[in-house]
Structure formats: structure tokens, C-alpha cells
Amino acid sequence: PHNAGELCDALLHLIRFPRATPAKLTELVPGPDFPTGGVLVEPAVSIREAYATGRGAFRLRARWETEKTSHGQYQIVITEIPYQVQKSRLIERIAELLAGRKLPLLADVRDESAEDVRVVLEPKSRTVAAATLMETLFRLTDLEVRVPLNLNVLDRGRLPKLMSLREALQAFLDHRHDVLLRKNRYRLGKIDARLTILDGYLIAFLNVDAVIKIIRETDEPKPKLMRRFKLVEVQAEAILNLRLRSLRKLEEMQLRAEHDELTAERKGLNSLMRSKDKRWTAIAAEIRDIR
């Protein structure tokens, strides 16, 4: 998991600068942002290499702080634990090491968590250095873990491929571009179908008495309507599916307003479909909404 804001920033940068370097993208996405928190202690050079190759690992430690207690003593409080580490199992492990006398610098461990994580470590004495005690715990317990990275993903939904961070971000953008094209083609089809019906309704409105006469007096009104008013079959069907009362109440202003609105929308969508720059501007706006 990564910070959504950082990923969106990297995507927006890649839209503006399609030849962005891996170093710049790593600067925008400095590392994973895990939901349980913790501190990423992997060297920056290792993170850059993992993102450049699509494979690697990140060293993650618990976040901790010291609190002063009475008589000059102190205690260590763990406030965030590494990703996918079970707190109960972690405390059990520390207790096992205590019982086995493998943590000579630690006196006790307590779980004081409520909604937030609060695991208290009590050192043997105030002379014990907190950093030294934590280094021992990092080495012996899951207060420090390595989280693997493997960007092996489906390229355009077809073949699995190991991607770098840049390639994975570009694959996502290409997918959004495909979605935009498909969505707009679908919408244009719906608009064209509706405009065809509206054109038929407008013809019926302008010739309402003749249309009603044909419907009332003809056994097969559809072909006659099509011949008389040069309608296509779908227009004739739409008119015939209206009740005569509805046909009389058709309001030209409403029909023309909807017609004009859909015509303007179609013009805008066609302009978008013809311009790659406009499509990427639209995708950038969507990513800003996600952000």
C-alpha cells in the first residue's frame, strides 16, 4: 500500500512529463505508506533500486518513544507496529524471550492499547539506553520486518509482467485512457440514439394531426409513417409507443431544449475524442478528484 496522495502526484507529473525519470518519480513516491504506520528504515538507494526493477524489500520498524515515570525512571511506548504483524503474537514473543532470559535489559512488557496501539516496555533500570534495548528487540522480534515488493502485474489485462514503478504508473494511466475512450463511445451511442428519437418526436409534434389520423385509420401505421415523414424504423416505433394523449401534449420547447443539450454534449465529446491533449486533461482532472 502506498499513500494515495503521493501516487496521484506521481501520476499527474507523468501526464505532464511523459519522459519523467525514475529518480523524479521516486522523489514523489519516497516509499510505501502502510496502514498500521511504522518507520521505513530502508536506505534511499535500496528503495530507488526496488522501484527501478520492480522487485525488492522494505525494512519497516515499529514507531516508539520514551516517557518519564517516577523516581527518574522511564518507559518505552510503542505507538505503531509493522504491517501485518499481530500485536498479540508480538507481545507473546517478547514475553517468551523475557521468560527465556534472552532480554536481560528488559523488565516487563504490557499492552495498554485502547483504540490506539500502546505497548509499554519497562527497562531493567534507568541506566539502560532506550536505543540499545530497542535494537535488541528489533533483532529478535517482529518489531522490525522486511516487506517484499514484487510489481508483477497484468499488462493491459493480458500477460503478467514485472514492471518498474514508472511502468506500473504508466500502465494505470493507459488503463484510465482506455476507460475514458470506452465510456465516451458508449455515451455518444446513447446520445445519438436519443437524438434520433427526439428528431422523430419533433416531426410528430409538427404534424400531430396527420400522425394521429394515420394511427387511427391505418391497419399498419408504421410503414406509412416512415414513408410519409421519412422516418427510420426506431422513430416510427417510438411514436407508435406513445399514447395519443401524450402525443397531443408533446411540448416543442422541452423537446428542443433536450435536443440542444444533447447536441452540445455530443459536440464536446467528439472534440474530446479527437484531441489526445484534451483526453489527458480530463484524466488529470479525474486523478485530482481521486486525490
PDB file of all heavy atoms in Angstrom, residues 12 14 19 27 90 103 129 145 162 214 227 252 254 272 288:
ATOM      1  N   LEU A  12       0.086  12.591 -11.943  1.00  0.00           N
ATOM      2  CA  LEU A  12      -0.090  13.900 -12.564  1.00  0.00           C
ATOM      3  C   LEU A  12       1.219  14.388 -13.188  1.00  0.00           C
ATOM      4  O   LEU A  12       1.224  14.976 -14.273  1.00  0.00           O
ATOM      5  CB  LEU A  12      -0.593  14.909 -11.522  1.00  0.00           C
ATOM      6  CG  LEU A  12      -2.032  14.689 -11.036  1.00  0.00           C
ATOM      7  CD1 LEU A  12      -2.327  15.555  -9.827  1.00  0.00           C
ATOM      8  CD2 LEU A  12      -3.030  14.987 -12.154  1.00  0.00           C
ATOM      9  N   LEU A  14       3.565  12.471 -14.355  1.00  0.00           N
ATOM     10  CA  LEU A  14       3.823  11.640 -15.533  1.00  0.00           C
ATOM     11  C   LEU A  14       2.947  12.075 -16.710  1.00  0.00           C
ATOM     12  O   LEU A  14       3.369  11.966 -17.870  1.00  0.00           O
ATOM     13  CB  LEU A  14       3.568  10.167 -15.192  1.00  0.00           C
ATOM     14  CG  LEU A  14       4.148   9.105 -16.131  1.00  0.00           C
ATOM     15  CD1 LEU A  14       5.638   9.314 -16.344  1.00  0.00           C
ATOM     16  CD2 LEU A  14       3.877   7.717 -15.588  1.00  0.00           C
ATOM     17  N   ARG A  19       8.237  11.742 -20.116  1.00  0.00           N
ATOM     18  CA  ARG A  19       9.581  11.178 -20.047  1.00  0.00           C
ATOM     19  C   ARG A  19      10.207  11.368 -18.662  1.00  0.00           C
ATOM     20  O   ARG A  19      11.431  11.396 -18.526  1.00  0.00           O
ATOM     21  CB  ARG A  19      10.477  11.816 -21.110  1.00  0.00           C
ATOM     22  CG  ARG A  19      10.015  11.517 -22.537  1.00  0.00           C
ATOM     23  CD  ARG A  19      10.974  12.098 -23.555  1.00  0.00           C
ATOM     24  NE  ARG A  19      10.534  11.809 -24.924  1.00  0.00           N
ATOM     25  CZ  ARG A  19      11.188  12.207 -26.010  1.00  0.00           C
ATOM     26  NH1 ARG A  19      12.299  12.927 -25.886  1.00  0.00           N
ATOM     27  NH2 ARG A  19      10.731  11.915 -27.212  1.00  0.00           N
ATOM     28  N   GLU A  27      11.221  10.333  -6.020  1.00  0.00           N
ATOM     29  CA  GLU A  27      11.159  11.515  -5.151  1.00  0.00           C
ATOM     30  C   GLU A  27       9.716  11.832  -4.772  1.00  0.00           C
ATOM     31  O   GLU A  27       9.418  12.222  -3.632  1.00  0.00           O
ATOM     32  CB  GLU A  27      11.785  12.700  -5.892  1.00  0.00           C
ATOM     33  CG  GLU A  27      11.839  13.993  -5.112  1.00  0.00           C
ATOM     34  CD  GLU A  27      12.427  15.118  -5.948  1.00  0.00           C
ATOM     35  OE1 GLU A  27      13.413  14.873  -6.663  1.00  0.00           O
ATOM     36  OE2 GLU A  27      11.878  16.238  -5.890  1.00  0.00           O
ATOM     37  N   LEU A  90       2.983 -10.578  18.830  1.00  0.00           N
ATOM     38  CA  LEU A  90       4.214  -9.833  19.090  1.00  0.00           C
ATOM     39  C   LEU A  90       4.507  -9.768  20.585  1.00  0.00           C
ATOM     40  O   LEU A  90       5.636 -10.031  21.030  1.00  0.00           O
ATOM     41  CB  LEU A  90       4.084  -8.416  18.522  1.00  0.00           C
ATOM     42  CG  LEU A  90       5.212  -7.434  18.821  1.00  0.00           C
ATOM     43  CD1 LEU A  90       6.505  -7.880  18.156  1.00  0.00           C
ATOM     44  CD2 LEU A  90       4.826  -6.036  18.359  1.00  0.00           C
ATOM     45  N   LEU A 103      16.334 -11.391  27.076  1.00  0.00           N
ATOM     46  CA  LEU A 103      16.253  -9.935  27.039  1.00  0.00           C
ATOM     47  C   LEU A 103      16.693  -9.383  28.397  1.00  0.00           C
ATOM     48  O   LEU A 103      15.869  -8.924  29.194  1.00  0.00           O
ATOM     49  CB  LEU A 103      14.820  -9.479  26.716  1.00  0.00           C
ATOM     50  CG  LEU A 103      14.305  -9.765  25.304  1.00  0.00           C
ATOM     51  CD1 LEU A 103      12.826  -9.399  25.185  1.00  0.00           C
ATOM     52  CD2 LEU A 103      15.119  -8.990  24.260  1.00  0.00           C
ATOM     53  N   ALA A 129      20.110   2.172  28.059  1.00  0.00           N
ATOM     54  CA  ALA A 129      19.838   3.087  26.951  1.00  0.00           C
ATOM     55  C   ALA A 129      18.655   2.560  26.132  1.00  0.00           C
ATOM     56  O   ALA A 129      18.639   1.386  25.727  1.00  0.00           O
ATOM     57  CB  ALA A 129      21.074   3.220  26.067  1.00  0.00           C
ATOM     58  N   VAL A 145      10.458  -5.783  10.498  1.00  0.00           N
ATOM     59  CA  VAL A 145      10.174  -6.795   9.470  1.00  0.00           C
ATOM     60  C   VAL A 145      10.678  -6.292   8.126  1.00  0.00           C
ATOM     61  O   VAL A 145      10.959  -5.102   7.950  1.00  0.00           O
ATOM     62  CB  VAL A 145       8.660  -7.105   9.374  1.00  0.00           C
ATOM     63  CG1 VAL A 145       8.128  -7.670  10.679  1.00  0.00           C
ATOM     64  CG2 VAL A 145       7.877  -5.852   8.978  1.00  0.00           C
ATOM     65  N   LEU A 162       6.801  -8.105 -14.977  1.00  0.00           N
ATOM     66  CA  LEU A 162       7.463  -7.392 -13.883  1.00  0.00           C
ATOM     67  C   LEU A 162       7.708  -5.962 -14.342  1.00  0.00           C
ATOM     68  O   LEU A 162       8.388  -5.732 -15.339  1.00  0.00           O
ATOM     69  CB  LEU A 162       8.777  -8.069 -13.512  1.00  0.00           C
ATOM     70  CG  LEU A 162       9.485  -7.513 -12.274  1.00  0.00           C
ATOM     71  CD1 LEU A 162       8.667  -7.780 -11.014  1.00  0.00           C
ATOM     72  CD2 LEU A 162      10.883  -8.116 -12.140  1.00  0.00           C
ATOM     73  N   ILE A 214     -53.200   8.871 -39.229  1.00  0.00           N
ATOM     74  CA  ILE A 214     -52.602   7.633 -39.761  1.00  0.00           C
ATOM     75  C   ILE A 214     -52.717   6.506 -38.740  1.00  0.00           C
ATOM     76  O   ILE A 214     -53.062   5.367 -39.079  1.00  0.00           O
ATOM     77  CB  ILE A 214     -51.134   7.875 -40.146  1.00  0.00           C
ATOM     78  CG1 ILE A 214     -51.050   8.775 -41.378  1.00  0.00           C
ATOM     79  CG2 ILE A 214     -50.415   6.543 -40.422  1.00  0.00           C
ATOM     80  CD1 ILE A 214     -49.633   9.215 -41.726  1.00  0.00           C
ATOM     81  N   ARG A 227     -42.867   6.243 -44.561  1.00  0.00           N
ATOM     82  CA  ARG A 227     -42.885   6.787 -45.920  1.00  0.00           C
ATOM     83  C   ARG A 227     -43.298   8.257 -45.936  1.00  0.00           C
ATOM     84  O   ARG A 227     -42.659   9.083 -46.587  1.00  0.00           O
ATOM     85  CB  ARG A 227     -43.844   5.972 -46.802  1.00  0.00           C
ATOM     86  CG  ARG A 227     -43.345   4.600 -47.191  1.00  0.00           C
ATOM     87  CD  ARG A 227     -44.195   4.012 -48.306  1.00  0.00           C
ATOM     88  NE  ARG A 227     -45.605   3.952 -47.947  1.00  0.00           N
ATOM     89  CZ  ARG A 227     -46.174   2.923 -47.316  1.00  0.00           C
ATOM     90  NH1 ARG A 227     -45.438   1.862 -46.985  1.00  0.00           N
ATOM     91  NH2 ARG A 227     -47.456   2.939 -47.029  1.00  0.00           N
ATOM     92  N   GLU A 252     -42.984  21.366 -27.695  1.00  0.00           N
ATOM     93  CA  GLU A 252     -41.856  21.627 -28.586  1.00  0.00           C
ATOM     94  C   GLU A 252     -40.662  22.217 -27.838  1.00  0.00           C
ATOM     95  O   GLU A 252     -39.511  21.836 -28.084  1.00  0.00           O
ATOM     96  CB  GLU A 252     -42.285  22.567 -29.712  1.00  0.00           C
ATOM     97  CG  GLU A 252     -41.181  22.795 -30.735  1.00  0.00           C
ATOM     98  CD  GLU A 252     -41.625  23.749 -31.837  1.00  0.00           C
ATOM     99  OE1 GLU A 252     -42.663  24.413 -31.679  1.00  0.00           O
ATOM    100  OE2 GLU A 252     -40.895  23.830 -32.834  1.00  0.00           O
ATOM    101  N   GLN A 254     -39.654  21.840 -24.720  1.00  0.00           N
ATOM    102  CA  GLN A 254     -38.954  20.814 -23.947  1.00  0.00           C
ATOM    103  C   GLN A 254     -38.150  19.896 -24.857  1.00  0.00           C
ATOM    104  O   GLN A 254     -36.999  19.539 -24.564  1.00  0.00           O
ATOM    105  CB  GLN A 254     -39.953  19.999 -23.126  1.00  0.00           C
ATOM    106  CG  GLN A 254     -40.573  20.773 -21.960  1.00  0.00           C
ATOM    107  CD  GLN A 254     -41.539  19.914 -21.173  1.00  0.00           C
ATOM    108  OE1 GLN A 254     -41.853  18.797 -21.569  1.00  0.00           O
ATOM    109  NE2 GLN A 254     -42.009  20.447 -20.055  1.00  0.00           N
ATOM    110  N   LEU A 272     -13.415  15.920 -27.565  1.00  0.00           N
ATOM    111  CA  LEU A 272     -12.535  15.184 -26.653  1.00  0.00           C
ATOM    112  C   LEU A 272     -11.941  13.956 -27.330  1.00  0.00           C
ATOM    113  O   LEU A 272     -10.750  13.658 -27.177  1.00  0.00           O
ATOM    114  CB  LEU A 272     -13.325  14.779 -25.407  1.00  0.00           C
ATOM    115  CG  LEU A 272     -12.548  14.198 -24.232  1.00  0.00           C
ATOM    116  CD1 LEU A 272     -11.718  15.273 -23.560  1.00  0.00           C
ATOM    117  CD2 LEU A 272     -13.505  13.577 -23.219  1.00  0.00           C
ATOM    118  N   ARG A 288      -7.102  14.287  -9.917  1.00  0.00           N
ATOM    119  CA  ARG A 288      -7.192  15.307  -8.856  1.00  0.00           C
ATOM    120  C   ARG A 288      -8.408  15.045  -7.961  1.00  0.00           C
ATOM    121  O   ARG A 288      -8.349  15.253  -6.754  1.00  0.00           O
ATOM    122  CB  ARG A 288      -7.272  16.702  -9.473  1.00  0.00           C
ATOM    123  CG  ARG A 288      -5.970  17.152 -10.120  1.00  0.00           C
ATOM    124  CD  ARG A 288      -6.005  18.629 -10.509  1.00  0.00           C
ATOM    125  NE  ARG A 288      -4.848  18.945 -11.341  1.00  0.00           N
ATOM    126  CZ  ARG A 288      -4.870  18.960 -12.667  1.00  0.00           C
ATOM    127  NH1 ARG A 288      -5.997  18.673 -13.309  1.00  0.00           N
ATOM    128  NH2 ARG A 288      -3.793  19.242 -13.349  1.00  0.00           N
TER     129      ARG A 288
END
